[in-house]
Amino acid sequence: MSSSLALLGGEPVRREPFPPFPIIEEEEFDAVLEVLRSRQLSTFHSSFLGGRKVRQFEDEFARATGAGYGVACNSGTAALHMTLAAIGLEPGDEVIVPPYTFTATASAVLMAGGVPVFADVRDTDFNIDPAEVEKAITERTRAVIPVHLFGAPAAMDELLELAGAHSLRVIEDCAQAPAAELDGRKVGTMGDLATFSFQETKNMMTGEGGMVLTDDLDLAERCRAVRNHGEVLAWGERRDYRSALLGWNYRMTEIEAALGICQLARLGGFNQARIENAAYLTRQLDQARGLALPSPRSEDVHVFHIYAFRFLESEVGISRAGFLRALEAEGIPASGGYPRPLYENPVFERAGGRHLPCPVSERLCAAEAVWLAQVRPPAGIAEMDDIVSAILKVLDQREVLREWELRSDSDAQDD
Ligand SMILES: Cc1ncc(COP(=O)(O)O)c(C=O)c1O
């Protein structure tokens, strides 16, 4: 019999916070100081193709992923907007996106003048369901944005086939999945364009930052122009302030690029630590009733930006909310994730996007999804052991927790 729940006054499994993230080593300090000493913090004004570090980072990131061209920018959101502007989205053009993702996947469509159309995800891997995408296609559809959510590759083969049949552009949102693989192919190399985020919680980070990858030189050049007010100036050309197309200022700084170069060199190790932590969690929790744990195919590489699983309330016998509260009290941060499908956010309701019925996303948001962000290094097996102990302790005490939940409910009704 495990000891009593911390929520009810017992001893918590873990008292100390999880180790700090992101991982920043001496190399990053040196690289940033080198940029500061050079006094070249941007230098876009002299070429518009970016400073020395920016161009090095673009080349190294594109090469490491296996794409032809990299265009660095200042966020994953900017990267998404750049790709949609680069394909020449027209007002009213529809872009199919999942409703179970971060806001930017869909808000970038609005930013580019398009209409987001939401198609449901699969509950096996939380990624957009090609069968739902097919139902969402109309004569206004121009593109689809699969998100490789939590680090798991989306069903690209089925999506590429649909895109081919309907002449759609495919933009992969790889914000949560750098170096993830589908059948030996890296995410970010399968669609027409791909976007990445290096915001500070991501698998590799530059504080804020982003990147577009593509094999298409014309699209890469259009992205570079959109990044820079629609102007592109090659080395040695005189600036004449000529904007060929509508652009923004989405330029990356040299400091961010210097951080990116260091982090890219260690991305393989960062991802490997996540994969090992995740595999350990899955092994230890495998027997727990009512938890649908992630089960990546052996041919793929899931890079576990988040360890997400489904919590089946009817099988476990307690609510997800009660489970999360009890875990939190045990010293384990966990969350229910996105609280609502994106189309329920006022911005998308107002902008007139449409959505197909999305029962899976609604169920994930309302009751099923559990996210553990602490799968990331420097946390290791000792921290995973605490997560496992806390989950098993709470599940073991489900009867006590259920009674406590019932009592709290009836107290609330008496108020
Ligand atoms: C799936 C997804 N797309 C896009 C973004 C936007 O990236 P950024 O925060 O760098 O703008 C994020 C994350 O923040 C994300 O998780």
Side-chain angles (χ1 to χ4, degrees), residues 264-287:
L264 176 62
R266 299 209 302 282
L267 176 63
F270 293 158
N271 280 347
Q272 191 52 35
R274 288 173 182 270
I275 291 166
E276 284 168 19
N277 284 343
Y280 187 80
L281 290 176
T282 300
R283 271 200 310 279
Q284 301 299 316
L285 296 171
D286 203 32
Q287 299 304 315

Side-chain angles (χ1 to χ4, degrees), residues 188-206:
T189 61
M190 293 174 269
D192 297 288
L193 293 140
T195 65
F196 294 79
S197 164
F198 307 123
Q199 174 266 342
E200 69 183 340
T201 66
K202 298 299 192 290
N203 290 30
M204 60 168 277
M205 67 93 223
T206 61

Side-chain angles (χ1 to χ4, degrees), residues 228-299:
N228 200 62
H229 307 288
E231 290 183 73
V232 178
L233 193 65
W235 287 105
E237 278 180 13
R238 279 176 74 86
R239 186 175 185 189
D240 73 351
Y241 294 91
R242 185 172 181 279
S243 288
L245 67 164
L246 181 60
W248 287 260
N249 174 358
Y250 285 158
R251 301 183 296 241
M252 176 177 267
T253 68
E254 288 289 273
I255 290 178
E256 289 161 337
L259 289 171
I261 292 164
C262 298
Q263 293 261 310
L264 176 62
R266 299 209 302 282
L267 176 63
F270 293 158
N271 280 347
Q272 191 52 35
R274 288 173 182 270
I275 291 166
E276 284 168 19
N277 284 343
Y280 187 80
L281 290 176
T282 300
R283 271 200 310 279
Q284 301 299 316
L285 296 171
D286 203 32
Q287 299 304 315
R289 193 184 67 198
L291 308 187
L293 303 173
S295 54
R297 302 181 320 153
S298 58
E299 307 88 312

Side-chain angles (χ1 to χ4, degrees), residues 36 73 95 121 146 164 192 202 247 264 312 378:
L36 286 174
C73 57
V95 179
V121 298
D192 297 288
K202 298 299 192 290
L264 176 62
L312 308 173

Side-chain angles (χ1 to χ4, degrees), residues 75-77 80 101-102 104-105 147 149 173 175-176 197-199 202 208-209:
S75 71
T77 308
L80 283 162
T101 176
F102 180 64
T105 311
V147 180
L149 201 72
D173 182 340
Q176 303 187 5
S197 164
F198 307 123
Q199 174 266 342
K202 298 299 192 290
E208 299 288 351

